[in-house]
């Protein structure tokens, strides 16, 4: 069994994806880059208020 190097998307491909998303009117919050592709996520509804942050604030003693 030989190990195979993971092939991540190249910079021009990522830039093309970001431009296409912006041209389509999508706001970009974060980007997940993996060997099998790129996923673009919209921005969080409330900055700094992840589900964990909300849970933590509600469960403080």
């Amino acid at each position: 069994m030989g190990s195979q190097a993971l092939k991540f998307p190249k910079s021009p491909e990522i830039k093309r994806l970001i431009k296409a998303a912006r041209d389509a009117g999508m706001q970009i919050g974060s980007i997940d880059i993996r060997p099998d592709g790129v996923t673009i996520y919209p921005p969080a509804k409330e900055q700094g208020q992840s589900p964990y942050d909300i849970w933590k604030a509600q469960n403080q003693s």
Side-chain angles (χ1 to χ4, degrees):
M1 276 193 174
S3 64
Q4 295 178 349
L6 298 176
K7 294 183 180 181
F8 285 87
K10 303 279 187 207
S11 180
E13 182 180 358
I14 295 168
K15 289 178 182 178
R16 198 169 37 250
L17 267 158
I18 292 170
K19 182 179 181 326
R22 286 185 178 154
D23 289 349
M26 181 177 182
Q27 293 182 344
I28 299 173
S30 63
I31 301 172
D32 186 16
I33 302 170
R34 299 176 315 280
D36 63 342
V38 176
T39 304
I40 298 175
Y41 297 98
K45 300 237 187 267
E46 296 180 24
Q47 294 291 11
Q49 291 295 312
S50 70
Y52 173 75
D53 292 332
I54 295 168
W55 173 85
K56 186 176 176 183
Q58 292 173 347
N59 293 297
Q60 292 292 320
S61 338

Short mmCIF file of all heavy atoms in Angstrom, two decimals:
data_model
loop_
_atom_site.label_atom_id
_atom_site.label_comp_id
_atom_site.label_asym_id
_atom_site.label_seq_id
_atom_site.Cartn_x
_atom_site.Cartn_y
_atom_site.Cartn_z
N MET A 1 0.83 -1.18 0.00
CA MET A 1 0.00 0.00 0.00
C MET A 1 0.87 1.24 0.00
O MET A 1 1.61 1.47 0.94
CB MET A 1 -0.85 0.05 1.26
CG MET A 1 -2.09 -0.71 1.20
SD MET A 1 -3.05 -0.18 2.62
CE MET A 1 -4.50 -1.03 2.29
N GLY A 2 0.79 2.02 -1.01
CA GLY A 2 1.53 3.27 -1.06
C GLY A 2 0.64 4.43 -0.65
O GLY A 2 -0.57 4.42 -0.85
N SER A 3 1.25 5.41 -0.05
CA SER A 3 0.45 6.58 0.34
C SER A 3 0.35 7.53 -0.85
O SER A 3 1.29 7.68 -1.61
CB SER A 3 1.08 7.29 1.54
OG SER A 3 2.34 7.79 1.18
N GLN A 4 -0.80 8.11 -1.00
CA GLN A 4 -1.02 9.05 -2.08
C GLN A 4 -1.13 10.45 -1.50
O GLN A 4 -1.77 10.66 -0.47
CB GLN A 4 -2.30 8.71 -2.83
CG GLN A 4 -2.25 7.39 -3.55
CD GLN A 4 -3.55 7.07 -4.24
OE1 GLN A 4 -4.55 7.73 -4.04
NE2 GLN A 4 -3.54 6.05 -5.08
N ALA A 5 -0.51 11.40 -2.16
CA ALA A 5 -0.58 12.78 -1.70
C ALA A 5 -1.98 13.33 -1.97
O ALA A 5 -2.58 13.06 -3.01
CB ALA A 5 0.46 13.62 -2.43
N LEU A 6 -2.49 14.07 -1.02
CA LEU A 6 -3.80 14.71 -1.20
C LEU A 6 -3.65 15.89 -2.14
O LEU A 6 -2.70 16.66 -2.03
CB LEU A 6 -4.34 15.18 0.15
CG LEU A 6 -4.58 14.09 1.19
CD1 LEU A 6 -5.03 14.71 2.50
CD2 LEU A 6 -5.62 13.11 0.69
N LYS A 7 -4.58 16.02 -3.06
CA LYS A 7 -4.52 17.11 -4.03
C LYS A 7 -5.63 18.11 -3.70
O LYS A 7 -6.80 17.84 -3.92
CB LYS A 7 -4.68 16.58 -5.44
CG LYS A 7 -3.52 15.72 -5.88
CD LYS A 7 -3.66 15.27 -7.31
CE LYS A 7 -2.49 14.41 -7.71
NZ LYS A 7 -2.58 13.97 -9.10
N PHE A 8 -5.22 19.23 -3.15
CA PHE A 8 -6.16 20.30 -2.84
C PHE A 8 -6.39 21.14 -4.08
O PHE A 8 -5.54 21.20 -4.97
CB PHE A 8 -5.61 21.17 -1.71
CG PHE A 8 -5.70 20.53 -0.37
CD1 PHE A 8 -4.69 19.69 0.09
CD2 PHE A 8 -6.79 20.75 0.44
CE1 PHE A 8 -4.77 19.09 1.33
CE2 PHE A 8 -6.89 20.15 1.69
CZ PHE A 8 -5.87 19.32 2.13
N PRO A 9 -7.54 21.85 -4.16
CA PRO A 9 -7.79 22.74 -5.30
C PRO A 9 -6.70 23.82 -5.37
O PRO A 9 -6.21 24.28 -4.34
CB PRO A 9 -9.15 23.36 -4.99
CG PRO A 9 -9.77 22.46 -3.99
CD PRO A 9 -8.65 21.82 -3.23
N LYS A 10 -6.36 24.20 -6.56
CA LYS A 10 -5.33 25.23 -6.78
C LYS A 10 -5.92 26.62 -6.53
O LYS A 10 -7.13 26.83 -6.60
CB LYS A 10 -4.80 25.16 -8.21
CG LYS A 10 -4.23 23.81 -8.58
CD LYS A 10 -2.84 23.68 -8.06
CE LYS A 10 -2.23 22.38 -8.59
NZ LYS A 10 -1.23 21.85 -7.75
N SER A 11 -5.05 27.58 -6.27
CA SER A 11 -5.47 28.95 -5.97
C SER A 11 -6.37 29.56 -7.06
O SER A 11 -7.40 30.16 -6.74
CB SER A 11 -4.24 29.82 -5.76
OG SER A 11 -4.60 31.14 -5.47
N PRO A 12 -6.05 29.41 -8.36
CA PRO A 12 -6.94 29.99 -9.38
C PRO A 12 -8.35 29.40 -9.34
O PRO A 12 -9.34 30.11 -9.56
CB PRO A 12 -6.25 29.65 -10.70
CG PRO A 12 -4.82 29.42 -10.35
CD PRO A 12 -4.83 28.85 -8.96
N GLU A 13 -8.45 28.11 -9.04
CA GLU A 13 -9.77 27.47 -8.96
C GLU A 13 -10.57 28.04 -7.78
O GLU A 13 -11.76 28.32 -7.90
CB GLU A 13 -9.61 25.97 -8.80
CG GLU A 13 -10.92 25.22 -8.76
CD GLU A 13 -10.73 23.72 -8.61
OE1 GLU A 13 -9.59 23.23 -8.56
OE2 GLU A 13 -11.76 23.04 -8.53
N ILE A 14 -9.90 28.23 -6.65
CA ILE A 14 -10.57 28.78 -5.47
C ILE A 14 -11.02 30.22 -5.73
O ILE A 14 -12.14 30.60 -5.42
CB ILE A 14 -9.64 28.70 -4.24
CG1 ILE A 14 -9.36 27.23 -3.91
CG2 ILE A 14 -10.25 29.42 -3.04
CD1 ILE A 14 -8.25 27.02 -2.92
N LYS A 15 -10.14 31.02 -6.35
CA LYS A 15 -10.49 32.41 -6.68
C LYS A 15 -11.67 32.47 -7.63
O LYS A 15 -12.55 33.32 -7.51
CB LYS A 15 -9.28 33.13 -7.28
CG LYS A 15 -8.20 33.40 -6.27
CD LYS A 15 -7.00 34.06 -6.93
CE LYS A 15 -5.89 34.29 -5.91
NZ LYS A 15 -4.70 34.89 -6.51
N ARG A 16 -11.71 31.55 -8.60
CA ARG A 16 -12.81 31.50 -9.57
C ARG A 16 -14.12 31.17 -8.86
O ARG A 16 -15.16 31.75 -9.13
CB ARG A 16 -12.47 30.45 -10.63
CG ARG A 16 -13.26 30.56 -11.89
CD ARG A 16 -12.73 29.68 -13.04
NE ARG A 16 -12.22 28.37 -12.65
CZ ARG A 16 -10.92 28.03 -12.69
NH1 ARG A 16 -10.01 28.89 -13.09
NH2 ARG A 16 -10.55 26.83 -12.34
N LEU A 17 -14.07 30.24 -7.90
CA LEU A 17 -15.26 29.88 -7.13
C LEU A 17 -15.77 31.05 -6.29
O LEU A 17 -16.98 31.31 -6.23
CB LEU A 17 -14.93 28.72 -6.18
CG LEU A 17 -15.20 27.34 -6.71
CD1 LEU A 17 -14.39 26.31 -5.96
CD2 LEU A 17 -16.67 27.05 -6.56
N ILE A 18 -14.85 31.75 -5.64
CA ILE A 18 -15.24 32.90 -4.81
C ILE A 18 -15.86 33.98 -5.68
O ILE A 18 -16.89 34.56 -5.33
CB ILE A 18 -14.02 33.44 -4.04
CG1 ILE A 18 -13.58 32.41 -2.99
CG2 ILE A 18 -14.33 34.78 -3.38
CD1 ILE A 18 -12.26 32.72 -2.34
N LYS A 19 -15.26 34.25 -6.83
CA LYS A 19 -15.80 35.27 -7.73
C LYS A 19 -17.19 34.87 -8.22
O LYS A 19 -18.10 35.70 -8.26
CB LYS A 19 -14.87 35.48 -8.92
CG LYS A 19 -15.37 36.57 -9.87
CD LYS A 19 -14.42 36.79 -11.01
CE LYS A 19 -14.83 37.86 -11.97
NZ LYS A 19 -16.23 38.06 -12.23
N ALA A 20 -17.38 33.61 -8.58
CA ALA A 20 -18.68 33.15 -9.05
C ALA A 20 -19.74 33.29 -7.95
O ALA A 20 -20.87 33.70 -8.22
CB ALA A 20 -18.59 31.70 -9.51
N ALA A 21 -19.36 32.97 -6.71
CA ALA A 21 -20.32 33.10 -5.60
C ALA A 21 -20.69 34.56 -5.38
O ALA A 21 -21.87 34.89 -5.20
CB ALA A 21 -19.71 32.51 -4.33
N ARG A 22 -19.71 35.44 -5.41
CA ARG A 22 -19.98 36.87 -5.22
C ARG A 22 -20.81 37.42 -6.38
O ARG A 22 -21.72 38.22 -6.17
CB ARG A 22 -18.67 37.65 -5.09
CG ARG A 22 -18.02 37.43 -3.75
CD ARG A 22 -16.80 38.30 -3.61
NE ARG A 22 -16.21 38.11 -2.28
CZ ARG A 22 -14.94 38.30 -2.01
NH1 ARG A 22 -14.11 38.70 -2.96
NH2 ARG A 22 -14.49 38.11 -0.78
N ASP A 23 -20.48 37.03 -7.61
CA ASP A 23 -21.24 37.48 -8.77
C ASP A 23 -22.70 37.02 -8.70
O ASP A 23 -23.59 37.68 -9.23
CB ASP A 23 -20.61 36.97 -10.07
CG ASP A 23 -19.29 37.66 -10.40
OD1 ASP A 23 -18.96 38.68 -9.74
OD2 ASP A 23 -18.58 37.17 -11.30
N ALA A 24 -22.94 35.88 -8.04
CA ALA A 24 -24.30 35.37 -7.88
C ALA A 24 -25.02 36.04 -6.72
O ALA A 24 -26.17 35.74 -6.44
CB ALA A 24 -24.27 33.86 -7.67
N GLY A 25 -24.31 36.95 -6.01
CA GLY A 25 -24.95 37.68 -4.92
C GLY A 25 -24.79 37.02 -3.56
O GLY A 25 -25.40 37.47 -2.59
N MET A 26 -23.98 36.00 -3.48
CA MET A 26 -23.80 35.31 -2.20
C MET A 26 -22.80 36.04 -1.34
O MET A 26 -21.75 36.45 -1.82
CB MET A 26 -23.31 33.88 -2.44
CG MET A 26 -23.12 33.07 -1.21
SD MET A 26 -22.60 31.39 -1.64
CE MET A 26 -22.51 30.69 -0.02
N GLN A 27 -23.13 36.21 -0.07
CA GLN A 27 -22.18 36.77 0.89
C GLN A 27 -21.37 35.61 1.44
O GLN A 27 -21.92 34.57 1.77
CB GLN A 27 -22.90 37.49 2.01
CG GLN A 27 -23.62 38.74 1.56
CD GLN A 27 -24.27 39.44 2.73
OE1 GLN A 27 -24.45 38.88 3.80
NE2 GLN A 27 -24.64 40.68 2.51
N ILE A 28 -20.07 35.80 1.54
CA ILE A 28 -19.19 34.72 1.97
C ILE A 28 -18.80 34.94 3.42
O ILE A 28 -18.26 35.97 3.79
CB ILE A 28 -17.95 34.65 1.07
CG1 ILE A 28 -18.39 34.36 -0.36
CG2 ILE A 28 -16.98 33.60 1.57
CD1 ILE A 28 -17.29 34.43 -1.37
N GLY A 29 -19.08 33.93 4.24
CA GLY A 29 -18.71 33.98 5.65
C GLY A 29 -17.44 33.21 5.91
O GLY A 29 -16.52 33.69 6.54
N SER A 30 -17.37 32.00 5.40
CA SER A 30 -16.17 31.18 5.56
C SER A 30 -16.09 30.20 4.39
O SER A 30 -17.07 29.95 3.71
CB SER A 30 -16.18 30.43 6.89
OG SER A 30 -17.26 29.53 6.94
N ILE A 31 -14.89 29.68 4.21
CA ILE A 31 -14.63 28.75 3.11
C ILE A 31 -13.92 27.54 3.66
O ILE A 31 -12.95 27.66 4.41
CB ILE A 31 -13.77 29.42 2.02
CG1 ILE A 31 -14.48 30.66 1.48
CG2 ILE A 31 -13.47 28.44 0.90
CD1 ILE A 31 -13.63 31.49 0.55
N ASP A 32 -14.40 26.36 3.32
CA ASP A 32 -13.80 25.10 3.75
C ASP A 32 -13.14 24.48 2.52
O ASP A 32 -13.81 24.15 1.55
CB ASP A 32 -14.89 24.18 4.31
CG ASP A 32 -14.35 22.91 4.90
OD1 ASP A 32 -13.14 22.84 5.16
OD2 ASP A 32 -15.15 21.98 5.10
N ILE A 33 -11.81 24.36 2.57
CA ILE A 33 -11.05 23.83 1.44
C ILE A 33 -10.55 22.44 1.81
O ILE A 33 -9.84 22.27 2.79
CB ILE A 33 -9.88 24.75 1.09
CG1 ILE A 33 -10.39 26.15 0.76
CG2 ILE A 33 -9.07 24.18 -0.07
CD1 ILE A 33 -9.30 27.19 0.63
N ARG A 34 -10.98 21.43 1.03
CA ARG A 34 -10.60 20.04 1.26
C ARG A 34 -10.11 19.44 -0.05
O ARG A 34 -10.35 20.00 -1.11
CB ARG A 34 -11.83 19.25 1.74
CG ARG A 34 -12.44 19.73 3.04
CD ARG A 34 -13.71 18.95 3.37
NE ARG A 34 -14.61 18.77 2.23
CZ ARG A 34 -15.46 19.69 1.79
NH1 ARG A 34 -15.54 20.86 2.37
NH2 ARG A 34 -16.23 19.44 0.77
N PRO A 35 -9.47 18.30 0.03
CA PRO A 35 -9.01 17.66 -1.21
C PRO A 35 -10.16 17.31 -2.17
O PRO A 35 -9.96 17.29 -3.37
CB PRO A 35 -8.32 16.38 -0.72
CG PRO A 35 -7.94 16.65 0.68
CD PRO A 35 -8.99 17.58 1.21
N ASP A 36 -11.34 17.07 -1.62
CA ASP A 36 -12.46 16.68 -2.49
C ASP A 36 -13.32 17.86 -2.94
O ASP A 36 -14.33 17.68 -3.59
CB ASP A 36 -13.33 15.62 -1.81
CG ASP A 36 -14.00 16.13 -0.54
OD1 ASP A 36 -13.55 17.15 0.00
OD2 ASP A 36 -14.96 15.49 -0.09
N GLY A 37 -12.94 19.09 -2.59
CA GLY A 37 -13.69 20.24 -3.07
C GLY A 37 -13.65 21.41 -2.12
O GLY A 37 -12.98 21.40 -1.09
N VAL A 38 -14.40 22.44 -2.48
CA VAL A 38 -14.47 23.68 -1.71
C VAL A 38 -15.92 23.92 -1.35
O VAL A 38 -16.81 23.78 -2.19
CB VAL A 38 -13.93 24.87 -2.54
CG1 VAL A 38 -14.07 26.18 -1.80
CG2 VAL A 38 -12.48 24.64 -2.94
N THR A 39 -16.18 24.28 -0.09
CA THR A 39 -17.53 24.63 0.34
C THR A 39 -17.51 26.06 0.84
O THR A 39 -16.64 26.43 1.64
CB THR A 39 -18.00 23.70 1.48
OG1 THR A 39 -17.91 22.35 1.04
CG2 THR A 39 -19.44 24.00 1.86
N ILE A 40 -18.45 26.86 0.36
CA ILE A 40 -18.56 28.25 0.78
C ILE A 40 -19.79 28.36 1.67
O ILE A 40 -20.88 27.94 1.30
CB ILE A 40 -18.68 29.19 -0.43
CG1 ILE A 40 -17.43 29.08 -1.30
CG2 ILE A 40 -18.92 30.62 0.02
CD1 ILE A 40 -17.49 29.88 -2.58
N TYR A 41 -19.59 28.94 2.86
CA TYR A 41 -20.68 29.11 3.82
C TYR A 41 -21.06 30.57 3.92
O TYR A 41 -20.18 31.44 3.87
CB TYR A 41 -20.25 28.61 5.21
CG TYR A 41 -19.93 27.14 5.24
CD1 TYR A 41 -18.61 26.70 5.17
CD2 TYR A 41 -20.93 26.19 5.33
CE1 TYR A 41 -18.31 25.35 5.20
CE2 TYR A 41 -20.63 24.84 5.36
CZ TYR A 41 -19.32 24.43 5.30
OH TYR A 41 -19.03 23.09 5.31
N PRO A 42 -22.33 30.88 4.09
CA PRO A 42 -22.74 32.27 4.29
C PRO A 42 -22.29 32.75 5.67
O PRO A 42 -21.98 31.95 6.55
CB PRO A 42 -24.27 32.21 4.19
CG PRO A 42 -24.62 30.80 4.53
CD PRO A 42 -23.46 29.95 4.09
N PRO A 43 -22.27 34.07 5.88
CA PRO A 43 -21.88 34.58 7.19
C PRO A 43 -22.86 34.16 8.27
O PRO A 43 -24.04 33.93 8.00
CB PRO A 43 -21.86 36.09 7.02
CG PRO A 43 -22.46 36.39 5.70
CD PRO A 43 -22.58 35.11 4.93
N ALA A 44 -22.37 34.07 9.50
CA ALA A 44 -23.23 33.74 10.63
C ALA A 44 -24.25 34.85 10.81
O ALA A 44 -23.99 36.02 10.53
CB ALA A 44 -22.39 33.58 11.89
N LYS A 45 -25.44 34.50 11.29
CA LYS A 45 -26.49 35.49 11.49
C LYS A 45 -26.08 36.54 12.52
O LYS A 45 -26.30 37.70 12.34
CB LYS A 45 -27.78 34.80 11.92
CG LYS A 45 -28.27 33.80 10.89
CD LYS A 45 -29.66 34.12 10.46
CE LYS A 45 -30.21 33.04 9.58
NZ LYS A 45 -30.05 33.25 8.20
N GLU A 46 -25.51 36.09 13.62
CA GLU A 46 -25.07 37.00 14.68
C GLU A 46 -23.59 36.76 14.91
O GLU A 46 -23.20 35.67 15.33
CB GLU A 46 -25.84 36.75 15.97
CG GLU A 46 -27.32 37.04 15.87
CD GLU A 46 -28.04 36.78 17.18
OE1 GLU A 46 -27.40 36.83 18.24
OE2 GLU A 46 -29.23 36.52 17.13
N GLN A 47 -22.78 37.75 14.66
CA GLN A 47 -21.35 37.60 14.85
C GLN A 47 -21.04 37.30 16.32
O GLN A 47 -21.55 37.94 17.21
CB GLN A 47 -20.61 38.87 14.43
CG GLN A 47 -20.71 39.15 12.95
CD GLN A 47 -19.92 38.16 12.12
OE1 GLN A 47 -19.46 37.13 12.59
NE2 GLN A 47 -19.78 38.46 10.84
N GLY A 48 -20.22 36.29 16.56
CA GLY A 48 -19.80 35.95 17.89
C GLY A 48 -20.82 35.18 18.70
O GLY A 48 -20.60 34.88 19.86
N GLN A 49 -21.94 34.84 18.13
CA GLN A 49 -22.98 34.12 18.86
C GLN A 49 -23.22 32.76 18.21
O GLN A 49 -24.26 32.51 17.64
CB GLN A 49 -24.28 34.94 18.88
CG GLN A 49 -24.21 36.19 19.72
CD GLN A 49 -24.01 35.87 21.20
OE1 GLN A 49 -24.68 35.03 21.77
NE2 GLN A 49 -23.05 36.53 21.81
N SER A 50 -22.25 31.90 18.32
CA SER A 50 -22.41 30.55 17.82
C SER A 50 -23.36 29.80 18.75
O SER A 50 -23.60 30.25 19.88
CB SER A 50 -21.06 29.83 17.78
OG SER A 50 -20.61 29.56 19.09
N PRO A 51 -23.92 28.68 18.32
CA PRO A 51 -24.78 27.91 19.23
C PRO A 51 -24.08 27.58 20.55
O PRO A 51 -24.70 27.62 21.61
CB PRO A 51 -25.09 26.64 18.43
CG PRO A 51 -24.99 27.08 17.01
CD PRO A 51 -23.88 28.10 16.99
N TYR A 52 -22.78 27.33 20.49
CA TYR A 52 -22.04 27.05 21.72
C TYR A 52 -21.99 28.29 22.62
O TYR A 52 -22.18 28.19 23.83
CB TYR A 52 -20.62 26.57 21.41
CG TYR A 52 -19.77 26.45 22.66
CD1 TYR A 52 -19.96 25.39 23.53
CD2 TYR A 52 -18.81 27.40 22.97
CE1 TYR A 52 -19.21 25.27 24.69
CE2 TYR A 52 -18.06 27.29 24.12
CZ TYR A 52 -18.25 26.22 24.98
OH TYR A 52 -17.52 26.12 26.12
N ASP A 53 -21.74 29.47 22.02
CA ASP A 53 -21.70 30.70 22.82
C ASP A 53 -23.03 30.95 23.50
O ASP A 53 -23.07 31.35 24.67
CB ASP A 53 -21.35 31.90 21.94
CG ASP A 53 -19.93 31.86 21.42
OD1 ASP A 53 -19.06 31.26 22.09
OD2 ASP A 53 -19.68 32.43 20.34
N ILE A 54 -24.13 30.74 22.81
CA ILE A 54 -25.46 30.93 23.39
C ILE A 54 -25.69 29.94 24.53
O ILE A 54 -26.14 30.30 25.61
CB ILE A 54 -26.55 30.81 22.31
CG1 ILE A 54 -26.40 31.95 21.29
CG2 ILE A 54 -27.95 30.81 22.93
CD1 ILE A 54 -27.21 31.77 20.03
N TRP A 55 -25.35 28.67 24.30
CA TRP A 55 -25.51 27.64 25.33
C TRP A 55 -24.67 27.98 26.56
O TRP A 55 -25.14 27.90 27.68
CB TRP A 55 -25.10 26.27 24.78
CG TRP A 55 -25.08 25.21 25.83
CD1 TRP A 55 -26.13 24.46 26.25
CD2 TRP A 55 -23.94 24.79 26.58
NE1 TRP A 55 -25.72 23.60 27.25
CE2 TRP A 55 -24.38 23.78 27.46
CE3 TRP A 55 -22.62 25.16 26.62
CZ2 TRP A 55 -23.54 23.15 28.35
CZ3 TRP A 55 -21.77 24.52 27.51
CH2 TRP A 55 -22.24 23.52 28.37
N LYS A 56 -23.43 28.39 26.32
CA LYS A 56 -22.53 28.70 27.42
C LYS A 56 -23.07 29.87 28.25
O LYS A 56 -23.03 29.85 29.48
CB LYS A 56 -21.14 29.03 26.87
CG LYS A 56 -20.09 29.22 27.94
CD LYS A 56 -18.73 29.45 27.31
CE LYS A 56 -17.69 29.74 28.36
NZ LYS A 56 -16.39 30.02 27.78
N ALA A 57 -23.60 30.90 27.58
CA ALA A 57 -24.14 32.06 28.29
C ALA A 57 -25.36 31.68 29.12
O ALA A 57 -25.57 32.20 30.22
CB ALA A 57 -24.50 33.16 27.28
N GLN A 58 -26.17 30.77 28.62
CA GLN A 58 -27.38 30.34 29.34
C GLN A 58 -27.07 29.42 30.51
O GLN A 58 -27.84 29.31 31.45
CB GLN A 58 -28.34 29.64 28.39
CG GLN A 58 -28.94 30.55 27.37
CD GLN A 58 -29.75 29.78 26.32
OE1 GLN A 58 -29.68 28.57 26.22
NE2 GLN A 58 -30.49 30.53 25.51
N ASN A 59 -25.92 28.75 30.48
CA ASN A 59 -25.60 27.75 31.50
C ASN A 59 -24.50 28.20 32.46
O ASN A 59 -23.88 27.36 33.12
CB ASN A 59 -25.22 26.43 30.83
CG ASN A 59 -26.40 25.81 30.13
OD1 ASN A 59 -27.39 25.46 30.77
ND2 ASN A 59 -26.33 25.68 28.84
N GLN A 60 -24.25 29.49 32.52
CA GLN A 60 -23.28 30.00 33.49
C GLN A 60 -23.90 29.98 34.87
O GLN A 60 -25.04 30.36 35.06
CB GLN A 60 -22.87 31.44 33.14
CG GLN A 60 -22.06 31.54 31.87
CD GLN A 60 -20.69 30.90 31.99
OE1 GLN A 60 -20.05 31.02 33.00
NE2 GLN A 60 -20.27 30.23 30.94
N SER A 61 -23.18 29.53 35.87
CA SER A 61 -23.75 29.46 37.22
C SER A 61 -23.52 30.75 37.98
O SER A 61 -22.58 31.38 37.94
CB SER A 61 -23.14 28.36 38.06
OG SER A 61 -22.57 27.35 37.36
#
